[in-house]
Amino acid sequence: MIARPLRLGVNIDHVATIRNARGGRHPDPVRAAHLAAAAGADGITAHLREDRRHISDSDIARLANEIQLPLNLEMAATEEMLAIALRHRPHAACIVPEKREERTTEGGLDVAGQQEKLKPMVGRMVGAGIRVSMFIEPDPRQLDAAKAIGAPVVELHTGAYCEHEGEARDAELARIAAAAAHAAAIGLECHAGHGLSYDTVKPIAAIPTMAELNIGHFLVGEAIFVGFEASIRHMRALMDEARK
Ligand code: PXP
């Protein structure tokens, strides 16, 4: 199988976390987005949480207006976030769980258990030209539910894969690979993310039907030691190596 090109979405939430630790404007996540673009990112991802613990409303407005790269807005499935998404019309929106009851036991969004709530929301966003994805566990039941409610994209949760080691990690990787193949078989674009680092990215990047990885915390952490551009460039190089 010929692997499709693999995009890197750089999540800048934790630039805002550091800014918010002191208030004020520094470090500016929009500046980080410009640097990410210069370092070879294909998109910028930002999660506007209901409690605004990192990214703020004005960050989203500035990102939507000032950056050239496609913006992927991560958001809870609430009326407030839906209104914000429809106002800014980002290139993409990824629906993520924020409350316990919205999650599966592992941590992805429980799409199968909330189809009635999610379907109209997805319809409105897709109708506004936003590419909507569902952040789910690599579970065929959740993929089928995402397809059933009209989401064109799924993002597979790599948290458990990154946390485990040895056989447990291998088992989780196999689940992710099987889910990515299932996504392709039922016509869903497949993304992945959460917790990825230099040590864990390659096996995920090597999955041929994977179209995008969204990576943030590790890149911002590594930026302390090597700079943000260098951390992104190295991640991009590892992804490209895995794809060869
Ligand atoms: N994808 C989704 C849907 C997420 O919620 C997050 C975390 O905000 C990420 C990717 C990136 O995870 P990390 O910051 O651990 O790389």
Side-chain angles (χ1 to χ4, degrees):
M1 190 187 299
I2 297 174
R4 45 162 83 211
L6 180 62
R7 297 188 299 268
L8 171 59
V10 173
N11 181 313
I12 54 170
D13 291 349
H14 298 297
V15 178
T17 301
I18 297 170
R19 175 195 61 193
N20 295 359
R22 279 285 171 92
R25 295 188 184 170
H26 185 78
D28 178 11
V30 178
R31 182 175 169 200
H34 288 302
L35 269 181
D42 301 290
I44 297 299
T45 295
H47 184 179
L48 184 65
R49 294 189 68 101
E50 290 183 85
D51 63 7
R52 308 305 197 265
R53 72 173 72 146
H54 37 57
I55 293 292
S56 68
D57 295 71
S58 75
D59 292 330
I60 294 296
R62 288 177 60 221
L63 289 166
N65 289 330
E66 293 175 30
I67 64 167
Q68 308 298 322
L69 289 180
L71 175 63
N72 173 31
L73 173 66
E74 290 178 356
M75 51 178 269
T78 64
E79 286 301 321
E80 182 200 15
M81 290 299 153
L82 176 64
I84 291 168
L86 294 175
R87 185 156 71 245
H88 293 296
R89 296 188 183 223
H91 166 79
C94 181
I95 311 293
V96 301
E98 287 193 21
K99 297 197 172 74
R100 241 328 89 231
E101 60 270 22
E102 298 166 340
R103 284 178 203 181
T104 61
T105 40
E106 290 105 332
L109 188 69
D110 184 14
V111 181
Q114 308 182 77
Q115 294 193 45
E116 271 174 39
K117 173 187 166 187
L118 294 171
K119 191 174 178 180
M121 200 168 264
V122 169
R124 288 185 66 189
M125 288 198 281
V126 169
I130 301 169
R131 217 156 151 73
V132 180
S133 73
M134 300 281 131
F135 184 47
I136 56 173
E137 290 303 315
D139 170 355
R141 195 169 143 258
Q142 298 296 342
L143 282 125
D144 292 340
K147 179 73 183 175
I149 63 165
V153 184
V154 287
E155 178 158 331
L156 303 179
H157 199 312
T158 52
Y161 157 79
C162 293
E163 275 165 28
H164 291 130
E165 285 179 5
E167 282 178 16
R169 179 178 287 177
D170 293 345
E172 194 58 25
L173 177 61
R175 261 181 99 210
I176 293 169
H182 186 61
I186 62 174
L188 291 172
E189 183 173 311
C190 189
H191 301 176
H194 200 92
L196 291 171
S197 68
Y198 295 158
D199 289 340
T200 52
V201 75
K202 282 176 104 173
I204 300 294
I207 295 170
T209 55
M210 199 57 82
E212 180 173 306
L213 302 183
N214 283 299
I215 309 179
H217 184 268
F218 179 85
L219 291 173
V220 173
E222 190 64 9
I224 293 168
F225 306 110
V226 301
F228 200 37
E229 285 198 58
S231 72
I232 294 167
R233 278 188 207 286
H234 188 57
M235 187 64 81
R236 174 81 258 178
L238 292 173
M239 287 166 56
D240 292 343
E241 268 174 37
R243 211 65 173 180
K244 269 185 200 149

